[in-house]
Amino acid sequence: MMDPVNKIINLLFPLLTLYALLVFYPTYQRLKSAVSICRNLFSENVSGRVVVITGAASGIGEALAYEYGKRGAYLALVDIRREPLFHVAALAELYGSPEVMPLVADVSKLEDCERFIRTTVLHFGRLDHLVTNAGVAPLYLFEDIDDLSKASPAMDINFWGSVYCTFYASPYLKKSRGRIVAVASGCGYIASPRLSFYCASKAALIAFYETLRTEFGSEIGVTIVAPGVVDSELSRGKFMTKDGELVVDKELRDVQVSVLPVESAERCAKAIMRSVCRGDRYLLEPGWIGCVILWKVFCSEVTESIARWLLMAGSTLPVTEAPTKKILDVANAFRSFFSLPHY
Ligand SMILES: NC(=O)c1ccc[n+]([C@@H]2O[C@H](COP(=O)([O-])OP(=O)(O)OC[C@H]3O[C@@H](n4cnc5c(N)ncnc54)[C@H](OP(=O)(O)O)[C@@H]3O)[C@@H](O)[C@H]2O)c1
Ligand SMILES: *[C@@H]1O[C@H](CO)[C@@H](O)[C@H](O)[C@H]1NC(C)=O
């Protein structure tokens, strides 16, 4: 019974899709632009709002704390590292936040997440935005793994860490008709060698929050952010090894990031802030990531082969012989010649 129905749908649906694309899509796009202009005009004022940011001790989380601070939001800043976190908290207050509460916690622990959400709500009396940003970048080839259990911290932090705090925060966000800001990554859409667990954790986040959006409707807003390469400790080479340890590996960083344009954390945070206040559903920052995603949708053979060739050099050569490293060397030689700063 199912089979003929599927056959008919297979035949008719592509035709209908093509028709819709040609006839209705331009109107739909115009409508979307009109709505987006309205959103710009009636952008949310976060002054006096209560905001939790995880992974706030450095990078994107830190820059976001300052942006929210400048706009007068109350902040609960969460990170696993005490000293830089307290430093960021003091600065955020200087930038204009009426009150900042630093909370040391490990987002991969359920009880820690329960505690910092409870502490925030007890102290400030409400919760308006939850920014799930804490994350690590596991970087190694799948076949190099000796002990697979050492790979789970990456998933525990990047995926479960976001899920845990969302679980405890959502009743309060519902009450305030608040917003979740999920910091995923361009890697959630585009595969890259050595980043299997990173890409998987980010893709899981995207799918998870897209699903929550269908469950929450207008009760809780969800902004899914996918940054490209942003200047932070992570993009300067702080990776998680196959043994589950955080190390700084400049050499591997040069291979992995190469000449990709690096955006400053401040610029990225400003773009996120604007997008969040507009109530956007997605933010790709920089916007050209959208084009890479289109390339992947329409010719995944090409994007896959390019990624493999550039980063793996056919996997027979040592890491440092990867074309991305060579491109970087050439670019740096060129920059030396013109006395420009190196990548
Ligand atoms: N930088 C990029 O190019 C880029 C691109 C796309 C997406 N992102 C995403 O953006 C987010 C922020 O990254 P970033 O570049 O700003 O990196 P970052 O500078 O390393 O900041 C991340 C912060 O999260 C903290 N953290 C790690 N594990 C934690 C845990 N279990 N509990 C609480 N805090 C924890 C880190 O502390 P430790 O240093 O002690 O681990 C660090 O302070 C991440 O989710 C990342 O995946 C970054
Ligand atoms: C935001 O709200 C605060 C107080 O509620 C007000 O003082 C401030 O001017 C508002 N800012 C903007 C940009 O509307």
Side-chain angles (χ1 to χ4, degrees), residues 328-341:
L328 182 73
D329 292 342
V330 171
N332 279 336
F334 183 79
R335 288 182 153 244
S336 285
F337 186 75
F338 291 103
S339 319
L340 291 166

Side-chain angles (χ1 to χ4, degrees), residues 45-48 71:
N45 181 352
V46 295
S47 166
R71 293 172 185 235

Side-chain angles (χ1 to χ4, degrees), residues 1-6:
M1 191 53 216
M2 249 346 261
D3 220 33
V5 176
N6 272 325

Side-chain angles (χ1 to χ4, degrees), residues 28-56:
Y28 179 81
Q29 195 55 46
R30 272 197 290 279
L31 217 82
K32 245 172 91 167
S33 310
V35 170
S36 136
I37 292 169
C38 287
R39 283 236 192 91
N40 256 319
L41 292 174
F42 304 104
S43 194
E44 185 182 351
N45 181 352
V46 295
S47 166
R49 299 282 155 95
V50 177
V51 181
V52 170
I53 304 175
T54 67

Side-chain angles (χ1 to χ4, degrees), residues 303-325:
T303 52
E304 255 170 37
S305 305
I306 291 177
R308 181 171 165 77
W309 177 75
L310 277 176
L311 286 144
M312 303 274 294
S315 83
T316 46
L317 296 166
V319 177
T320 45
E321 299 288 310
T324 47
K325 177 74 170 76

Side-chain angles (χ1 to χ4, degrees), residues 102-158:
L103 297 159
V104 179
D106 179 348
V107 296
S108 63
K109 296 206 171 96
L110 188 67
E111 57 280 10
D112 278 24
C113 294
E114 198 258 328
R115 177 175 53 80
F116 71 71
I117 296 292
R118 184 164 32 86
T119 310
T120 305
V121 175
L122 273 177
H123 186 82
F124 293 112
R126 58 183 291 146
L127 178 59
D128 298 286
H129 287 194
L130 169 69
V131 183
T132 65
N133 163 80
V136 293
L139 190 78
Y140 43 80
L141 296 176
F142 185 67
E143 64 175 10
D144 286 347
I145 297 172
D146 314 305
D147 177 358
L148 196 51
S149 68
K150 302 268 171 62
S152 50
M155 219 62 184
D156 292 344
I157 297 167
N158 293 7

Side-chain angles (χ1 to χ4, degrees), residues 10 13 102 143 164 207 210 213 227 229 261 288 313 316 325-326 343:
N10 281 343
F13 207 40
E143 64 175 10
Y164 293 158
E210 281 176 340
R213 203 149 52 192
V229 187
W288 59 258
T316 46
K325 177 74 170 76
K326 296 211 173 110
Y343 282 106

